[in-house]
Amino acid sequence: MGHGVPELVLQTNGRTWTLDPSRAYTLGRDPQGDIVYDDARVSWRHATVSFNGRSWVIEDHGSTNGTFVQGQRIHQLEIGPGSSLNLGNATDGPKLSLSGDAAAAAPQSQPRQQPYAAQGANPGWSQQAPQPQAPQAGWQQPAQSIPQQQGASGGQTPNMPGGGAGAPPVYGDRSPTTFHQFSLGRVMRIGRALENDLVVSDLQVSRNHAEFHSTPDGRMEIRDLGSHNGTYVNGQPIAKGGSQLLGPTDIVGVGHSTFRIVGDRLEEFVDTGEVSFSARHLTVTVDGGKQILKDVSFGVPEKSLIAVIGPSGSGKSTLLKALTGYRPANEGEVLYDNRNLYKQFAELRQRIGLVPQDDILHKELTVKKALKYAAKLRFPADTTAQEREARIDEVLRELKLDIHKDKKVTSLSGGQRKRVSVALELLTKPSLIFLDEPTSGLDPGMDRDVMQLLRGLADDGRTVLVVTHSVAELALCDKLLVMAPGGSVAYFGPPEEALNFFGYDTWADVFSAFENYRDYDWAGRWKGSQHYQMYAADIDAVAPQSVQVPAMQAMKPPKPQGWMSQWVTLVRRYTSVIVSDKGFLALMVILPAVLGAVSLLIDADKGLLPNPVNPQTGRIVPNGTATTVLLILAVGACFAGAANSVRELIKERVIYERERATGLSRSAYLMSKVFVLGMITVFQGLLVGVIGFSSREIPEEGLVLGGLTLVELSLPIMALGFTSMMFGLIISALVKTAEKTMPLLVMFAIIQVVFTGCLFALNGAVGVNQFSYLMPSRWAVGAAGATLDFNRISPPEEAGNNDPLWEHTVGAWGMDMAALLALGVICGFFVARFLRRHEPEVMRK
């Protein structure tokens, strides 16, 4: 022992340690710790004993069951010879006895590298870090010498989650919920149905989900029974209907339950929401090497509400994407109850709820109907309507929305709409809920209501993290994370201590300081503070495991329902949205009717047949009426078709992003749009064609359909509307805001006018003619022109320069129609590719 350092001997578990004041000793269930306990009441990393330069101190690390002295729970306490403590239980938890007599005691444990500089309860700055230059109210230059920060108070609770060095535990800091005995040769079936050996009352689990088998050689095997949400081993899905042998350390995930084989028994842990969560050394780098998130570490215990604030450009949105797995950090790791979220995203995604800033709802639907469709998409296909209905009613009651369930979402107040978005996420009982700017645009009263709602969600057994610009209700939160410009942490700890830490009276002053001193080392100031030692050093000191995200194909999550089931649900929902929009329904009929009627104003008494030969010149007199009418009808069909779809994907982008993360099929989503919009557009094309052609004289016999010439002429207009609708979907998938769709729609329609071939001859114009083949209007006019024999109606100036697309043959008509539909299919392929950009990055194949 050094000079002046009181000798301390620790006795526990029948063993004795003589403590070295130059290092810290960790106590807990972690096998890599210094003093290890085999008691479920003790947390993985329960407490630390260290010498702070003045006295010996024990520091509880936010353990689940606490550290007790004389029956009182403590967080940080000076100790010495004669002290006695209990871990995990005040009366019969493992006991620590301390004395100053080391005569009979020899150190029993080998020293281990000190994980972090243990701090005592002295107020003021850490003495083991360089003294920072602390901004205070009224300061002028960041380099001036500033008095020491007096905001920290001694003996604060270092309320950190369990979890330290070494291999992460299977169940975090908790013991298994239940045990199930196994016998050789037995099969144990897991599922939601009552006839299973192990009944899991979780709607995420299929009725007959999976089976445990013991093999003849004494090994264990898990077999998936074609489950809808998948069976996972160590966070990775096994093949649907497949099987996998289990080792002694393997864990099996089924819904919210996790299983592990220990000897002849099956341990089960049920995730009820009480989970810890931490981020370690998260760094995000974009193209060019610029870091937009720098070494962010923090940890929170279960049942916590955490607010993230910071100025624009501080990386709040990037942090949210990194924490949810939507855009994994380039370096570092995110731990969900000590399980790596990036490596086990396929399984853990089901336990995470995300409420984006924009509502993830179709506002035209009622609250109950919007939740009904969401439940249908998110729950397994074998859940009954009654089961889904019961869960919806349960969530509506919990969030006090039952009195609004029959109201349209659009008629609710901003705060109530946000509640509905939260309700949608709560359907699947997530343990961790993230919210992005939930109070944006709300008045102070609604702001308070939403934050009180989140406080209640946390108190009910969930961990809630909210990114917000509002600072009015921060006192409701357990912890506050303040991000500095550039994406680093400026503060993490209790919200009531934050302003004192920065040395200002208001958050406006703090944010002004961030703006005025953007180059100041805010992260360095934070890491040199006592608050850092109390609230973040424990997490920050642990080096993250290397992030090795599995191959993206392996990250593809199972889908709760089959493709057809999803498609039917999406079609029904989209139809409900359209039917509830009376304005769109009216426009759907009026727009094509007006466009068709406009063509009737062009030489109403003239037909669409070839004119007779001019006896003086010996040439056919061109019938300009036919080409003009067809030009108007084609452009009308183009405009109507593209207008139907040009906003569809952009306005639902947030909804699609969230549903895709929960297992929505990209192709089912796209095909539901194509089907519903296609039916509408084809109907409109028929209306345009019938109005435009029926009142004029047309050939009695068509090329393909015989006497049904009106139908034959309308078919190209209908197909043109459909292909234009597909072009509209491309625009909608490419743009970033709905406002940009209108200029592109107008540009698309004008280009179609030019390349119909009705304004000037395209055949023979090198380059221009070839480019026109990319335009749907070129092929549609070609098909109708083939039926009407445009090469006779509007003969080329140069003899023999007939347009092959207008040839009066079945082959030409068929080629025109096939090319028109092929363009639509090609557009669909590109839309599907562009949709990938709006999916969680970790899911992209």
Side-chain angles (χ1 to χ4, degrees), residues 553-568:
Q553 184 67 31
M555 298 298 285
K556 185 181 177 183
K559 297 176 176 59
Q561 302 89 18
W563 191 93
M564 184 56 70
S565 175
Q566 286 194 2
W567 181 80
V568 170

Side-chain angles (χ1 to χ4, degrees), residues 23 163 192 362 373 508 545 633 700 726 763:
R23 54 161 300 193
R192 205 173 71 246
H362 290 90
Y373 286 122
Q545 304 169 19
L633 296 180
E700 294 182 3
M726 298 301 293
N763 188 46

